[in-house]
Structure formats: C-alpha cells, structure tokens
Amino acid sequence: MKFALFSLMMNIPNAVSGETLTTNQKFENVLKQAVLAEELGFDAYGVGERHGAPFISSSPPVVLTAIAARTSRIRLLTTVTVLSVLDPIRVAEDYATLDHLSGGRIEMIIGKGNDPRHYPLFGITEEEQWESLAERYALLKRLWKEENVTWQGRYRSPLDNVTTQPRPFQPAIPVWHGSASSTLSTELAAKYGEPIFSSNTFHPQAKYKALIDHYRERLAHYGHDPQQAVVGSGFGSLYLANTTEEAIGRFRPYYEAFHATAASQVNNSPFKDLEDNVRNGPVLIGSPDQVIEKILNYYDAYGHQVVSISVDGLTETEQREQIERFATEVAPVLRREIPSTIWNHSPVGITV
C-alpha cells in the first residue's frame, strides 16, 4: 500500500489553543508538512482546491510548485482540481509548467468539487457540473496529447489550431478521477480506463463501496480489465493515541470546530457525533492497532492501493506528532500487508 498526506489548507482558529495563523503562516505550515512527509517516506503530498473560507487553497498549482522547489522525490497531487469550473487551456498550461518544474512528479485528481459556492464564481450552474466536467476533460486530454487543436463546445470559446505551451514533461500526466457522490464520476473514469480516488470522508463505507463497484463494472463495459482497476481512498482526519479513548478526547475539539463550519455542513454527514463516526465512519481516530484494523477492513471492501490522510486543523506540534506516528507505527504494517502495483518506480525526472 502507498500513502499520501493531503491538505485542503483549512485555516480556522485552533480549537484547543485558540491560535489563528495568518495566511502567510498557513502557507508556510503546508510547505513544512510536505517536506516532513517526504522525509518520513510518504509517497505523495496533495493540495485540494476550494474557493471560499475557511480554505485558502484556491491555487493548487502555485502551492505545489512551491512544494516542488523544497522537495525532490515525493509525488505531488491535486485533491481535487475542480475542472468543472476551470478553463482547460489554463489548466493545460499551469499543470504542464508544474510538470516541468517538479521533474515529472505531478498527478492530477479531477472532479466537480463538493462546495457549491464555486459555481457562481465561474459562471456555471450546479446542474451543469457533470456535463461541464466531461466536456472540459475531453478538451484537456486533447490539449496535452495533440498539437494544433481545433475544437468547439459549450463551456468556452472555440479553438482554432491551438497548441498549448509548454508541452507536458511526462509522456502523459497521470489523471485520477475524484469519486464522492455520483456514478457520473465513476462512469467518466471507466470510460477512459483511468484510476479513481474515493473521498471516503463524510459517509458510511457502503456509499463509497457502491461507487467503486460501479467503477469496476463500467470498466468492463468499456473494454478495460476490471482486475487492473486502480483505486485510492481518503480517510479524512487522523488522530493516533495509545488508546481510542485518549484519541477521541484529544481530537473532539477539532472535530466539533470543523463540523460547525458552513463548508462541513454542506456534506450532510449522517454521523450523530464523533463516537458514531469512529465506530461506523471513515475517520482514523484511535490506537495504531485500531487504525490499522480499520484500514484493512476498508481494503476488504474497496481493494484500494493508496490511502490518504489529513491532519488539517491541528496545532503544528500535533501535526508533526500524528504524521510521525502514522509513518512509523501504521504505514510499515500496511505496506507489508497490502500489495500495490502503482508508484513502484521513480517519477520520470528522478534518477536513483
């Protein structure tokens, strides 16, 4: 199994200390997180995209470029690039630039996003999100693969004989499809035979398993081998302690602070409280052995090869504590237990 550390760059007052980071301090915090993740052997670091408080992650390629300058080996992911509202020309250019500056370490996770506030900012309606995503992604693929592209569609002006610059550094920038709420995302991934990354954050296992099962079924429909399916899975928040009771007690203020935000309430999580989420949901709160057991349980359901975790909202000291404990007490066991067919070689620009 492989491991990624993700951040949506949520910047709210710390629920325990009351400290509020400046925007500049939060950016620096994320950069230090990524450096630590590489030092501890994580396989990837991801930055999400949001367009409104309490998140400051509106420009993932800019942040990932800064991370690329401070790291040398860790893969860089977007979690997700909200392609349903973005201009494919701009996306093609920005991420091809990042591809070069990172030495071919960038991989995109695309999606429509789960925060409806971005639709009016970019001039589409929520009802158009899936059609918009499919059209923009088809164009993005052409822009990276072809030169002299002529194209016409609904969500941007026509193109006549366009070649975006720079061309990507990798032969093909890897693309994952974010999967959270609809079979339309898993359908799009299956059509192209590309991997999916389940958000696996706000709802019980059965909801996400149904989407992953649909993805495998539709891979076969489109002539791809479902046995070769590649699935990643998020797990939301991480908090390790010597016992579950200690972990719940220490994490509770953070859980309640985030779930009080408007951004969290959009997700309509069915869990009545933190204890319910620990028992029946995807949060990784407990002892290392209990967290390992939960991830193995989800692996039996999903068959995923990548796990992402997040320590957003914690103090910087706790962030380091949690990342280090996961890297030393959880990840080694899962690496031994669960095989992975991906990321077994260095990115194309890295020699070892």
Side-chain angles (χ1 to χ4, degrees):
M1 180 163 276
K2 302 299 196 299
F3 299 96
L5 182 62
F6 283 2
S7 178
L8 276 173
M9 301 176 64
M10 178 178 67
N11 197 24
I12 60 176
N14 184 271
V16 174
S17 69
E19 178 187 17
T20 301
L21 298 180
T22 66
T23 298
N24 183 261
Q25 288 171 330
K26 182 60 181 178
F27 279 124
E28 187 63 26
N29 168 249
V30 168
L31 297 179
K32 288 190 287 187
Q33 251 192 44
V35 170
L36 178 61
E38 178 169 89
E39 291 173 352
L40 291 173
F42 280 78
D43 301 281
Y45 189 88
V47 172
E49 180 179 342
R50 292 290 188 274
H51 295 276
F55 308 103
I56 59 170
S57 53
S58 57
S59 302
V62 178
V63 177
L64 290 172
T65 297
I67 292 172
R70 297 195 184 193
T71 58
S72 61
R73 295 186 181 277
I74 200 166
R75 285 171 171 80
L76 308 175
L77 274 65
T78 62
T79 61
V80 299
T81 297
V82 187
L83 189 58
S84 58
V85 300
L86 302 178
D87 180 2
I89 291 281
R90 182 80 265 178
V91 173
E93 294 171 339
D94 284 349
Y95 285 97
T97 300
L98 172 55
D99 197 30
H100 282 271
L101 294 175
S102 67
R105 289 186 282 147
I106 179 65
E107 299 194 11
M108 287 180 64
I109 304 177
I110 65 164
K112 55 86 181 173
N114 74 337
D115 188 338
R117 294 177 296 176
H118 53 232
Y119 297 115
L121 296 178
F122 294 94
I124 73 166
T125 66
E126 191 166 357
E127 292 71 27
E128 296 174 293
Q129 60 187 330
W130 297 111
E131 181 182 346
S132 172
L133 176 63
E135 178 183 291
R136 294 173 199 254
Y137 185 49
L139 175 56
L140 177 63
K141 287 183 72 68
R142 287 193 62 192
L143 291 169
W144 275 341
K145 184 178 180 180
E146 304 173 25
E147 298 182 1
N148 305 314
V149 172
T150 296
W151 174 92
Q152 186 169 351
R154 179 178 177 184
Y155 293 101
R156 62 147 294 127
S157 56
L159 302 178
D160 182 21
N161 203 34
V162 170
T163 301
T164 56
Q165 297 292 343
R167 309 305 295 154
F169 177 70
Q170 297 178 80
I173 294 176
V175 175
W176 302 64
H177 295 250
S179 171
S181 61
S182 172
T183 55
L184 293 172
S185 58
T186 49
E187 184 79 18
L188 189 65
K191 174 183 176 181
Y192 289 108
E194 294 170 337
I196 63 168
F197 215 109
S198 174
S199 71
N200 192 48
T201 305
F202 296 106
H203 296 276
Q205 183 184 93
K207 175 177 179 177
Y208 301 110
K209 183 180 186 303
L211 291 168
I212 293 168
D213 289 346
H214 174 265
Y215 164 64
R216 288 194 168 97
E217 292 167 4
R218 299 304 289 172
L219 277 172
H221 169 80
Y222 286 108
H224 307 292
D225 183 359
Q227 297 300 315
Q228 302 301 314
V230 175
V231 177
S233 177
F235 275 92
S237 299
L238 169 77
Y239 209 103
L240 295 166
N242 293 333
T243 67
T244 296
E245 292 74 19
E246 180 189 356
I248 288 175
R250 292 176 65 182
F251 185 68
R252 188 184 306 281
Y254 298 113
Y255 183 85
E256 293 177 349
F258 173 64
H259 282 266
T261 65
S264 171
Q265 292 166 10
V266 165
N267 295 291
N268 298 314
S269 178
F271 303 114
K272 63 182 181 180
D273 54 28
L274 176 55
E275 284 82 358
D276 186 21
N277 201 323
V278 171
R279 288 191 302 270
N280 302 304
V283 293
L284 298 178
I285 311 298
S287 70
D289 285 345
Q290 288 162 325
V291 166
I292 290 168
E293 182 180 356
K294 175 174 273 192
I295 293 174
L296 288 172
N297 173 271
Y298 273 76
Y299 173 74
D300 287 341
Y302 297 171
H304 57 289
Q305 299 187 38
V306 182
V307 160
S308 72
I309 61 168
S310 172
V311 292
D312 274 0
L314 307 183
T315 65
E316 194 163 292
T317 298
E318 286 175 299
Q319 288 177 12
R320 175 175 282 272
E321 172 199 7
Q322 292 302 314
I323 297 168
E324 289 178 343
R325 288 198 71 168
F326 187 89
T328 57
E329 300 177 51
V330 176
V333 175
L334 294 170
R335 287 189 195 278
R336 291 194 301 267
E337 292 287 328
I338 300 174
S340 177
T341 62
I342 68 164
W343 298 346
N344 292 324
H345 303 285
S346 298
V348 293
I350 303 299
T351 57
V352 293

